[in-house]
Amino acid sequence: MSEKGPISLLDASQLLRPEPAFADKPVAAFRDYSVDDQDPVKKRVKDTYYAMHGNVTVEFVKQKRAKWLQFNHFKSTIKDALIRLNSLVDESDPDSELPNIVHAFQTAERIRLDHPEDDWFHLTGLIHDLGKVMAFYGEPQWCVVGDTFPVGCRWADSIVYGQDSFKDNPDTYNPKYNSLYGMYSPRCGLDALLVSWGHDEYLYQVLKHNGATLPEKALYMIRYHSLYPWHSGGDYRHLTNEKDEEILKWVLEFNKYDLYTKSAEVPNIEALWPYYEALIDKYIPGELEW
Ligand SMILES: [Fe+2]
Ligand SMILES: [Fe+2]
């Protein structure tokens, strides 16, 4: 486990405490990736990440992008896609055993409490994990959920489970990809990085493809919310640029709601639908191509 990640997260949490909605679990208890194969949750999380880190190469990410960015897999409204998340429990998550739709409403409602005027932000909280629907179309969870990281350059120290988890990954031994810069140039910017395939990039691209009118900062919150080695680990600063510093502020503002609401009480989803359906109609109406 990296030391950098949790420390940054603790810092972000200072802005929120002591808020009652976060109070039932100590902040330091989130994102515990310690290894204990006797503990079924810890073993599930570790197995998911080892499969991810062993398999996700530059070539693999290119293949997944070629497959999913044709948007020819299914058609669905945002609401129907959200309802499908009722039957998905994220196998990479040490902090929640609840269906993902509960996490969606917990995140959205907590954002709404702190940012009552920013309706786009509420909707961003609600939909941010929707890319996980890929798990219903034959993708194993290890290439759908979990923290993301750039491929094509050296694995950063702050990636969960560390270098050991990459020992079966062929890119670990490829000199084109295993140096500090790898296939990138200095300060090329986040947009130029090929990031491990997952639900962040997929939903970002789905929203762009279908003409969502959410503000740019919402799209970046969605696109990079799982890039923990960058936004909380402090790594990859030799590849990012000035624009990314702005994006970082938005992603961190979003991130505290994504993480620390997981132990909050379960919201009354049926009662909340009308409010969120109106936001969907405003920003992302109708049937989308996925
Ligand atoms: Fe996520
Ligand atoms: Fe999430």
Side-chain angles (χ1 to χ4, degrees), residues 70-212:
Q70 294 187 52
F71 310 104
N72 60 358
H73 295 85
F74 63 101
K75 288 186 179 171
S76 169
T77 63
I78 290 284
K79 182 179 181 185
D80 287 344
L82 273 163
I83 288 169
R84 297 187 71 175
L85 291 188
N86 236 333
S87 48
L88 184 84
V89 174
D90 184 331
E91 293 172 0
S92 74
D93 193 341
D95 298 311
S96 183
E97 294 289 307
L98 296 168
N100 221 262
I101 194 170
V102 176
H103 167 59
F105 277 93
Q106 284 172 326
T107 307
E109 280 295 285
R110 194 57 178 73
I111 292 171
R112 191 175 165 193
L113 199 62
D114 283 4
H115 299 268
E117 304 302 318
D118 298 329
D119 65 354
W120 60 269
F121 200 1
H122 314 161
L123 183 59
T124 301
L126 188 76
I127 66 170
H128 74 280
D129 276 340
L130 254 190
K132 292 180 184 176
V133 292
M134 282 189 292
F136 299 114
Y137 293 87
E139 295 295 359
Q141 285 217 9
W142 56 259
C143 75
V144 171
V145 301
D147 293 2
T148 55
F149 51 90
V151 294
C153 62
R154 184 182 298 161
W155 318 121
D157 289 337
S158 65
I159 297 173
V160 293
Y161 299 107
Q163 303 294 330
D164 180 66
S165 59
F166 288 99
K167 63 182 184 303
D168 294 331
N169 187 316
D171 282 3
T172 301
Y173 310 99
N174 186 335
K176 269 193 335 197
Y177 303 141
N178 66 9
S179 64
L180 184 63
Y181 287 96
M183 63 183 194
Y184 306 110
S185 50
R187 310 221 74 197
C188 58
L190 268 185
D191 287 348
L193 300 184
L194 191 62
V195 174
S196 58
W197 182 250
H199 64 285
D200 296 39
E201 180 70 11
Y202 178 49
L203 182 64
Y204 167 77
Q205 297 285 355
V206 165
L207 294 172
K208 298 275 281 187
H209 174 74
N210 289 282

Side-chain angles (χ1 to χ4, degrees), residues 139-286:
E139 295 295 359
Q141 285 217 9
W142 56 259
C143 75
V144 171
V145 301
D147 293 2
T148 55
F149 51 90
V151 294
C153 62
R154 184 182 298 161
W155 318 121
D157 289 337
S158 65
I159 297 173
V160 293
Y161 299 107
Q163 303 294 330
D164 180 66
S165 59
F166 288 99
K167 63 182 184 303
D168 294 331
N169 187 316
D171 282 3
T172 301
Y173 310 99
N174 186 335
K176 269 193 335 197
Y177 303 141
N178 66 9
S179 64
L180 184 63
Y181 287 96
M183 63 183 194
Y184 306 110
S185 50
R187 310 221 74 197
C188 58
L190 268 185
D191 287 348
L193 300 184
L194 191 62
V195 174
S196 58
W197 182 250
H199 64 285
D200 296 39
E201 180 70 11
Y202 178 49
L203 182 64
Y204 167 77
Q205 297 285 355
V206 165
L207 294 172
K208 298 275 281 187
H209 174 74
N210 289 282
T213 56
L214 286 163
E216 188 187 25
K217 51 190 165 186
L219 298 176
Y220 277 118
M221 288 170 177
I222 288 165
R223 190 178 196 187
Y224 295 119
H225 74 270
S226 302
L227 196 54
Y228 271 83
W230 167 67
H231 68 60
S232 296
D235 281 316
Y236 302 107
R237 295 304 192 273
H238 57 297
L239 295 172
T240 55
N241 59 28
E242 264 172 38
K243 184 191 174 195
D244 301 330
E245 292 308 309
E246 206 48 40
I247 294 173
L248 179 63
K249 286 183 212 154
W250 305 332
V251 172
L252 287 177
E253 179 60 19
F254 169 78
N255 189 254
K256 57 193 181 187
Y257 301 106
D258 187 15
L259 183 57
Y260 298 119
T261 56
K262 285 176 183 171
S263 63
E265 62 187 66
V266 175
N268 183 345
I269 292 176
E270 279 315 308
L272 291 168
W273 265 126
Y275 175 73
Y276 287 98
E277 280 183 273
L279 296 187
I280 293 168
D281 282 344
K282 180 174 173 182
Y283 292 105
I284 330 165

